[in-house]
Amino acid sequence: MATATITPGRFGAYGGRYVPETLMAALEELEHAYAQAQADPAFQAELDDLLHHYVGRPTPLYFAKRLTETLGGAKIYLKREDLLHTGAHKINNALGQGLLAKRMGKQRIIAETGAGQHGVATATVCALLGFDCVIYMGEEDMRRQELNVYRMRLLGAEVRGVNSGSCTLKDAINEAMRDWVTNVRNTHYLLGSVLGAHPYPTMVRDFHRVISKEARAQILEAEGKLPNAIIACVGGGSNAIGAFYEFIPDADVRLVGVEAGGRGTGLGEHAARFMTNGGGLPGVLQGTYSYVLQDDAGQVSLTHSVSAGLDYASVGPEHAALHDSGRATYTSATDTEALEATVTLARTEGILPALESAHAVAEAIKQAPKLSKNDVLLVNVSGRGDKDMGILARELKLQGAKSRD
C-alpha cells in the first residue's frame, strides 16, 4: 500500500510543517488551492494537455540492449525522463505548480535550484504562463552549472547567486524562503523537490507520479510482468518518489534509491543521508522533519557530490518513512562510480545521462551481473547530461574513466 500518513502532511513520524508564523497562512492557502485543483477535472485536463503537447509525455521506456549484453545478467530498461522538454523530470512539477499559481492569482514565482534543471524548468513555465521569475542558486552551483544559468537568463528569469554557507542547494533554499516571507502575498514559491513544509512533499510527489504510472503500464506491455527492481537517484527525492510510487503496493518489486557517495565516508565528503556509518539522523531542516546530515552538536553538515542536484543535507520525508519501514532500500554511488557509469552508458547506448541519473545507472551496473537473464531492472534516467559537460570534461581527464567496451 502507499506510504501511511498519521495526519495530513505526515509520513509516519516524518514530514510536518516547521516554518515561521508568517508563512503559515501561505501554506494553508496553498494546501486549500491544491485540494480544490485536484478535485477540478478542468485543472487536470489542462495539465495533461500541456504534459503531452508541450512537455512531451509519455516518455519512452527503452530496453538498453547493448548495456544489458555488456554486463550480462538482468535486462535493463531505461525510463527516459531525459527526453522531456528542458531535459529532466523537473518540468512535471514546475508545470503543475505553475498552473496552480495561476489559479491562485499570483504574479511572481521564486524557486531554488542546485543542478539548474529545476531552475530552467521554472523559468520555462514562467515564460509560458507570463510570470515574473526569480531563481536562487548557490554560487558554487552557478559555477558548476554555468550552461543552465545562461538558459534561465535567456528565458527571462533573474538568477540571484547565494554566497553563504556551502554556496549550494541548502543555501539557495534558505534565500528563497526569506524572499517568500517578505513577498508572500503576490509570490508563489515553486519548490523543486519532495522537501519542505506540508503540502510540498505530497504535492510535488503527485505531480511526478506520472513517471511510475507510465512505467508500470510500459513494462507490463514490454515484458508481461513487473520488474524485479526500480532504481533511481535520490537527492531531495522527487524523481525517485515519482518512479517508485505506483509500485509501492507491489511487494515483489524492490525500490532502490541511490544517494551521492561522494569522495569518502566522512561527514562533509558525501550526501548519503541513509549511509550506515556517517549518515544522517532525524531532524528538522527547512520546514520538514526527516533525515539530516549533522554533526555531534546538531549543526547541519556540509555535503559533497560531483552532481549538484544530489548535493543536499536532507531528504524528502516520504523517503525517510520508506527507509524506516524497509519498503525501499537506499544505497550510494561514489563520484568515480557515477563518472564511470556515464561513460559506460554513453558508449554502449549513445545516451549521456545527467550526473545525478548516472548514480542510478551505476547501481544497475553493480546489480545486473548478479541477476539472471530473466530478471528485469528499471532505471529512471531523470535527466540528460548536456548541463554537466564542463564537469565531465574536467573530471574524466582527472579520473581517467574507461569505457567497458
Side-chain angles (χ1 to χ4, degrees):
M1 60 174 55
T3 311
T5 56
I6 298 171
T7 58
R10 288 280 182 180
F11 305 92
Y14 302 102
R17 186 179 282 166
Y18 300 87
V19 295
E21 189 64 32
T22 48
L23 289 180
M24 289 299 290
L27 288 166
E28 289 168 358
E29 177 194 22
L30 179 60
E31 181 180 14
H32 179 68
Y34 179 59
Q36 285 189 326
Q38 277 187 306
D40 184 354
F43 176 86
Q44 192 59 54
E46 183 178 10
L47 177 59
D48 289 346
D49 182 75
L50 286 169
L51 285 173
H52 178 60
H53 292 103
Y54 183 71
V55 173
R57 301 212 72 93
T59 57
L61 185 70
Y62 169 71
F63 173 50
K65 183 174 184 289
R66 289 199 67 229
L67 180 62
T68 297
E69 292 172 349
T70 298
L71 296 174
K75 294 181 178 180
I76 298 174
Y77 282 83
L78 308 177
K79 181 60 172 161
R80 298 293 308 279
E81 294 296 287
D82 58 309
L83 294 179
L84 291 174
H85 180 42
T86 73
H89 73 290
K90 294 292 187 180
I91 191 70
N92 301 321
N93 169 60
L95 184 59
Q97 285 198 52
L99 292 175
L100 189 60
K102 183 176 76 169
R103 182 185 182 98
M104 294 166 67
K106 303 297 183 181
Q107 293 86 45
R108 178 176 179 268
I109 283 182
I110 60 172
E112 83 302 324
T113 195
Q117 288 301 115
H118 174 60
V120 169
T122 300
T124 298
V125 168
C126 287
L128 175 69
L129 300 179
F131 290 109
D132 293 334
C133 182
V134 175
I135 307 293
Y136 289 92
M137 192 171 190
E139 290 187 350
E140 169 64 13
D141 289 338
M142 290 180 72
R143 181 187 65 78
R144 292 193 285 185
Q145 301 291 317
E146 187 178 34
L147 175 61
N148 274 342
V149 174
Y150 293 150
R151 292 171 74 192
M152 286 182 268
R153 287 174 172 160
L154 182 60
L155 288 160
E158 177 188 349
V159 182
R160 295 184 183 176
V162 178
N163 61 10
S164 59
S166 59
C167 304
T168 56
L169 181 60
K170 171 177 68 68
D171 313 291
I173 293 174
N174 283 339
E175 290 305 313
M177 290 185 73
R178 289 189 185 102
D179 184 319
W180 198 26
V181 168
T182 305
N183 301 289
V184 69
R185 291 184 181 277
N186 72 335
T187 297
H188 173 66
Y189 178 17
L190 206 162
L191 185 61
S193 195
V194 284
L195 300 165
H198 177 64
Y200 281 106
T202 299
M203 181 173 65
V204 176
R205 178 202 68 201
D206 288 349
F207 286 134
H208 284 304
R209 283 178 66 179
V210 64
I211 301 171
S212 54
K213 283 182 179 178
E214 290 176 4
R216 198 175 194 283
Q218 289 167 328
I219 197 65
L220 285 171
E221 181 178 358
E223 288 290 327
K225 63 180 182 179
L226 295 176
N228 295 77
I230 312 293
I231 304 174
C233 67
V234 181
S238 62
N239 94 89
I241 207 68
F244 292 170
Y245 196 73
E246 296 296 320
F247 295 95
I248 290 174
D250 302 300
D252 292 337
V253 179
R254 292 184 293 115
L255 308 178
V256 183
V258 188
E259 299 185 285
R263 58 195 171 202
T265 58
L267 206 57
E269 297 294 301
H270 61 85
R273 288 66 47 105
F274 298 123
M275 185 181 288
T276 303
N277 296 308
L281 296 169
V284 173
L285 180 64
Q286 295 174 329
T288 196
Y289 180 67
S290 187
Y291 278 72
V292 181
L293 288 168
Q294 51 191 298
D295 62 21
D296 292 339
Q299 296 299 306
V300 178
S301 170
L302 296 177
T303 55
H304 164 78
S305 174
V306 71
S307 57
L310 303 186
D311 200 354
Y312 184 63
S314 189
V315 66
E318 192 163 8
H319 286 291
L322 288 169
H323 169 270
D324 283 10
S325 70
R327 180 61 190 94
T329 301
Y330 295 84
T331 183
S332 62
T334 65
D335 288 352
T336 299
E337 288 170 335
L339 290 163
E340 290 176 347
T342 300
V343 175
T344 298
L345 187 61
R347 294 183 182 177
T348 58
E349 296 293 346
I351 296 171
L352 181 61
L355 277 169
E356 291 78 14
S357 310
H359 287 69
V361 176
E363 180 64 20
I365 289 171
K366 294 175 190 175
Q367 288 197 19
K370 302 173 185 177
L371 301 172
S372 80
K373 294 183 183 298
N374 293 322
D375 290 331
V376 174
L377 298 178
L378 196 161
V379 181
N380 195 39
V381 181
S382 56
R384 66 178 184 232
D386 310 42
K387 67 184 180 61
D388 295 318
M389 288 310 303
I391 298 171
L392 291 168
R394 181 178 70 252
E395 294 291 337
L396 291 176
K397 181 179 180 182
L398 290 173
Q399 299 286 351
K402 297 290 193 295
S403 167
R404 290 180 179 264
D405 276 1

